[in-house]
Amino acid sequence: MDAKFINPFLIATQNVFKTMLSTQINLGKPSVKANNLTLGEVTGIMGFAGDKKGTFTISFSKECATYAYRAMIGEDVPTINSDVVDAIGELTNIISGQIRVELEKLGINLRASLPTVIVGQNVAINFITPLPVITLPFSFDDGGMTRQLFIDFSFE
Amino acid sequence: MDAKFINPFLIATQNVFKTMLSTQINLGKPSVKANNLTLGEVTGIMGFAGDKKGTFTISFSKECATYAYRAMIGEDVPTINSDVVDAIGELTNIISGQIRVELEKLGINLRASLPTVIVGQNVAINFITPLPVITLPFSFDDGGMTRQLFIDFSFE
């Protein structure tokens, strides 16, 4: 896995959070994913095909998912309902589009599939590839509370 | 959702089971998926991109997954371990390839992403699309026991 792939995911995710959610998010230390469990509670999955084939997931803690919903829709929501699932699916689509724009700058043209959204903590999502899966941990501060999201991706 | 899409999934899945697993599988009644829960215990997810964007999942009951593993690898396995996950991922890849061959005959060219495999019963996998998700239930007899698998798919 070439480290140059990290930047497109970083820039795309930060840009979407900044423009759509007016939120500055910070990247922690990228790592090779050590297990197959979802790190958040609501996880979008998107497949890429084209010059390469790949998959990325974006996993939101419950608090981050409800924060994103409130920032997008303007309503508070107490729990992860189907509206939140749809909003996270839409956010997965939008971030996926930005990632593809950034990857095009590296000469890599990809098309996106339909996203799916998984609800549940510690759900085993196994990437079927001999290549490493990279985890990018993001966080931001919301009135003294730290909210987290995690992007995992792999490309062949 | 055009009913003509059902046949490529049917033919591809039956062909792969026949040629790779020497198993004749039968299609039950296709339906529009009424909820978002996995019907089996090991579920491959594959994204398609190209002329259309879509996603399909193939969900194996525990008994069907261990049967498929034995038929592919020649070893009994008591439980869903990482070897079974890898085998189901490989089967998802192979069936996806056959589906794309069949869809090409309808003039639809697609490319595949990397598959992921989810382990767990009643896991909520939400397809993010306004279009219906079609479920194709398959079954076969294994020495008096019925074994089941389910394909769900949607295209835009």
Side-chain angles (χ1 to χ4, degrees):
Chain A
M1 173 61 58
D2 198 320
K4 75 179 176 189
F5 289 131
I6 290 176
N7 255 341
F9 284 83
L10 167 61
I11 293 167
T13 310
Q14 281 187 328
N15 278 356
V16 171
F17 266 75
K18 194 164 185 179
T19 54
M20 280 196 59
L21 311 181
S22 304
T23 302
Q24 174 66 44
I25 63 172
N26 302 307
L27 177 63
K29 190 174 159 44
S31 62
V32 174
K33 195 168 169 71
N35 64 37
N36 54 14
L37 300 176
T38 54
L39 293 164
E41 188 152 331
V42 190
T43 305
I45 303 178
M46 177 66 93
F48 289 132
D51 290 344
K52 290 176 176 285
K53 53 186 187 173
T55 289
F56 94 96
T57 65
I58 179 163
S59 193
F60 298 76
S61 67
K62 183 186 166 193
E63 293 73 22
C64 186
T66 53
Y67 174 96
Y69 182 83
R70 190 174 62 237
M72 288 170 79
I73 310 294
E75 284 174 23
D76 276 320
V77 65
T79 183
I80 306 297
N81 61 22
S82 65
D83 291 337
V84 176
V85 165
D86 285 344
I88 295 301
E90 191 52 37
L91 208 46
T92 304
N93 260 326
I94 294 164
I95 292 171
S96 140
Q98 280 298 309
I99 291 167
R100 290 188 294 126
V101 166
E102 294 298 324
L103 286 169
E104 266 178 35
K105 295 177 186 171
L106 302 179
I108 298 165
N109 287 287
L110 298 176
R111 300 178 85 160
S113 69
L114 279 182
T116 48
V117 173
I118 310 276
V119 179
Q121 261 186 322
N122 293 319
V123 178
I125 301 182
N126 304 275
F127 285 63
I128 304 298
T129 173
L131 295 177
V133 177
I134 306 296
T135 297
L136 304 182
F138 291 94
S139 64
F140 58 94
D141 184 73
D142 173 31
M145 277 185 66
T146 298
R147 306 205 185 249
Q148 290 186 292
L149 64 147
F150 302 88
I151 284 191
D152 292 349
F153 68 91
S154 193
F155 279 104
E156 286 185 358
Chain B
M1 174 60 57
D2 198 318
K4 76 178 175 189
F5 289 130
I6 291 176
N7 256 339
F9 283 84
L10 166 60
I11 293 167
T13 311
Q14 282 187 328
N15 279 355
V16 171
F17 266 76
K18 196 165 184 178
T19 54
M20 279 197 58
L21 311 180
S22 305
T23 302
Q24 173 66 43
I25 64 172
N26 303 305
L27 178 63
K29 191 173 158 44
S31 62
V32 174
K33 195 168 171 70
N35 64 36
N36 54 13
L37 300 178
T38 53
L39 293 164
E41 189 152 330
V42 190
T43 304
I45 303 178
M46 178 67 93
F48 289 132
D51 289 346
K52 289 176 176 285
K53 54 186 187 173
T55 290
F56 94 96
T57 65
I58 178 163
S59 193
F60 298 76
S61 67
K62 183 186 166 192
E63 294 73 22
C64 187
T66 53
Y67 174 96
Y69 183 82
R70 191 173 62 237
M72 288 170 80
I73 311 292
E75 285 173 23
D76 275 320
V77 66
T79 184
I80 306 297
N81 60 22
S82 64
D83 291 336
V84 176
V85 165
D86 285 344
I88 295 302
E90 191 51 37
L91 208 46
T92 304
N93 260 326
I94 294 165
I95 292 171
S96 139
Q98 280 298 308
I99 291 167
R100 291 187 295 126
V101 166
E102 294 299 324
L103 285 169
E104 266 178 35
K105 295 176 185 171
L106 301 179
I108 299 166
N109 288 288
L110 298 177
R111 299 178 88 161
S113 69
L114 279 182
T116 47
V117 172
I118 309 277
V119 178
Q121 260 186 323
N122 292 319
V123 178
I125 301 182
N126 303 276
F127 286 63
I128 304 299
T129 173
L131 294 177
V133 177
I134 307 295
T135 297
L136 305 182
F138 292 93
S139 64
F140 58 95
D141 185 72
D142 172 31
M145 277 184 67
T146 298
R147 307 206 183 248
Q148 291 185 292
L149 63 148
F150 303 88
I151 284 189
D152 293 349
F153 68 91
S154 192
F155 279 103
E156 285 186 357

